[in-house]
Amino acid sequence: MRIALLALTGVCSALTGCIFVADDPASAPRSDYTGALIVDWTVDGSTNPDQCDQGDAGWLRLSVFTSSGRPVGEFSDDCAAFSTSVELDPGSYYAEALLEDADGHARTTVVQIDDFTIVGRDSLSVPIDFPAGSFY
């Protein structure tokens, strides 16, 4: 494996525009013990899709970090879905959520999701709200 990796690195360095990723967490197999963080959101206390439209919010952006601050990933879902689920390995995490427009620009301030723990094969549901005052 190590010899093949060195050979690939040598070939890649000879080519222009070649990008080599040695460790891609997205392609790593998930544990049989993964759990899920479920984030349910409201916009000014409502799950009416018109609230997303009025705030020009097309997407929820969810950023998850380990308790030590290492980024785990960024996830997004349609604002009008009002719920998203993210698979996480057992561990301690925190997260941040905000609403974005279609071009990826923030439409709201960040909502913090305080420290939480995924034990494994469990689901943690966290409700959050984007009040009218959180919109730019």
Side-chain angles (χ1 to χ4, degrees):
M1 174 75 173
R2 186 172 279 257
I3 293 171
L5 186 61
L6 288 172
L8 182 59
T9 303
V11 169
C12 190
S13 64
L15 300 173
T16 59
C18 184
I19 298 173
F20 181 77
V21 179
D23 185 21
D24 183 2
S27 65
R30 300 300 296 184
S31 164
D32 289 336
Y33 298 101
T34 58
L37 170 65
I38 302 166
V39 178
D40 299 306
W41 65 91
T42 54
V43 177
D44 202 24
S46 173
T47 56
N48 183 338
D50 291 341
Q51 293 286 29
C52 294
D53 293 340
Q54 287 175 350
D56 193 28
W59 301 97
L60 172 96
R61 166 90 47 199
L62 179 68
S63 302
V64 180
F65 305 88
T66 64
S67 59
S68 64
R70 184 179 60 81
V72 173
E74 287 195 346
F75 310 91
S76 62
D77 212 329
D78 187 283
C79 178
F82 295 104
S83 184
T84 195
S85 178
V86 175
E87 286 187 17
L88 295 170
D89 288 327
S92 297
Y93 303 91
Y94 69 93
E96 300 174 346
L98 59 86
L99 296 177
E100 297 179 331
D101 65 16
D103 295 323
H105 299 110
R107 293 295 304 136
T108 64
T109 57
V110 171
V111 172
Q112 297 290 329
I113 299 173
D114 292 330
D115 295 342
F116 61 92
T117 300
I118 299 294
V119 178
R121 291 190 185 161
D122 63 342
S123 296
L124 175 65
S125 183
V126 177
I128 60 173
D129 182 56
F130 296 95
S134 71
F135 281 81
Y136 295 122

